[in-house]
């Protein structure tokens, strides 16, 4: 038996691998939020209150653990936040009141990505404390990346090729 990971070709349209959905939370446990693509990574938050931990970041690779963009906490999980990524088009949320992914009557926004050559990949790795090359499946040099320590507190770091003033591929500023 042979199994190949991901699609065989680069996407023809951004809508094949990226989607934005807005939904009204209803406090239903196990609710599937429908998207136009398979969700490998999602950034979701309460659309009306940006002060509550920023975006909650979940992904198929790490399972039900999540990270929050507005805090520097390590990754965590609970049974009522992200509940699953094993849907062809969408992701599953619980009736949580902590992360507020499906807390009654809140308007939510979710940005979702699908792994695809030349477009997007999600990688979990163990750092060494020194510069290192990280293997990915993009097939090209990344033009943008976000890094967050998962096992302890630590800031989020972002890099984009248009702000790499010295050409070293490392962030030019402190944490975001």
């Amino acid at each position: 038996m042979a199994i190949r990971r991901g699609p065989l070709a680069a996407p023809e349209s951004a809508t094949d691998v990226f989607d934005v959905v807005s939904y009204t939370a209803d406090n239903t446990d196990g609710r599937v939020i429908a998207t136009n693509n398979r969700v490998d990574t999602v950034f979701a938050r309460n659309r009306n209150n940006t002060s509550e931990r920023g975006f909650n970041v979940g992904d198929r690779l790490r399972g039900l653990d999540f990270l929050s963009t507005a805090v520097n906490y390590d990754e965590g999980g609970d049974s009522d936040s992200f509940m699953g990524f094993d849907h062809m088009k969408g992701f599953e949320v619980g009736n949580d009141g902590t992360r507020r992914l499906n807390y009654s009557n809140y308007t939510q926004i979710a940005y979702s990505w699908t792994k695809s050559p030349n477009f997007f990949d999600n990688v979990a790795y163990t750092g060494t404390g020194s510069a290192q090359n990280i293997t990915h499946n993009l097939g090209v040099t990344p033009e943008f990346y976000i890094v967050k320590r998962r096992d302890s507190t630590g800031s989020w770091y972002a890099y984009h090729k248009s702000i790499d003033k010295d050409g070293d591929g490392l962030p030019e500023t402190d944490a975001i």
Side-chain angles (χ1 to χ4, degrees):
M1 178 188 303
I3 299 172
R4 180 179 171 105
R5 181 177 134 195
L8 298 176
E12 294 181 18
S13 169
T15 57
D16 293 338
V17 291
F18 176 73
D19 197 13
V20 180
V21 264
S22 179
Y23 61 97
T24 300
D26 64 6
N27 211 37
T28 301
D29 206 29
R31 179 180 178 189
V32 175
I33 306 303
T35 64
N36 291 324
N37 58 322
R38 185 186 78 241
V39 176
D40 287 317
T41 299
V42 62
F43 280 52
R45 74 172 174 92
N46 177 332
R47 192 171 181 175
N48 301 325
N49 187 344
T50 59
S51 66
E52 290 185 28
R53 297 181 179 229
F55 284 94
N56 296 289
V57 181
D59 57 82
R60 186 180 299 268
L61 179 65
R62 293 179 306 115
L64 303 183
D65 286 341
F66 60 86
L67 293 163
S68 297
T69 61
V71 294
N72 67 359
Y73 303 152
D74 59 346
E75 72 182 349
D78 62 48
S79 61
D80 286 329
S81 292
F82 291 114
M83 295 184 72
F85 293 92
D86 55 348
H87 300 277
M88 287 303 294
K89 294 185 175 184
F91 61 97
E92 190 174 345
V93 294
N95 61 353
D96 74 293
T98 306
R99 255 120 322 269
R100 309 227 191 273
L101 293 173
N102 196 28
Y103 195 65
S104 287
N105 299 318
Y106 279 72
T107 302
Q108 307 295 104
I109 188 84
Y111 301 91
S112 64
W113 291 265
T114 302
K115 289 183 177 185
S116 181
N118 299 320
F119 176 71
F120 177 79
D121 197 10
N122 182 6
V123 179
Y125 68 93
T126 301
T128 63
S130 300
Q132 66 187 100
N133 291 324
I134 306 302
T135 303
H136 57 79
N137 292 301
L138 289 177
V140 296
T141 301
E143 296 179 356
F144 173 68
Y145 58 81
I146 300 171
V147 179
K148 168 68 174 94
R149 182 176 181 156
R150 299 177 300 135
D151 65 343
S152 181
T153 60
S155 298
W156 291 76
Y157 292 91
Y159 163 83
H160 190 276
K161 70 175 186 171
S162 68
I163 58 171
D164 184 10
K165 296 176 181 131
D166 58 9
D168 64 359
L170 299 173
E172 300 301 319
T173 61
D174 289 333
I176 55 174

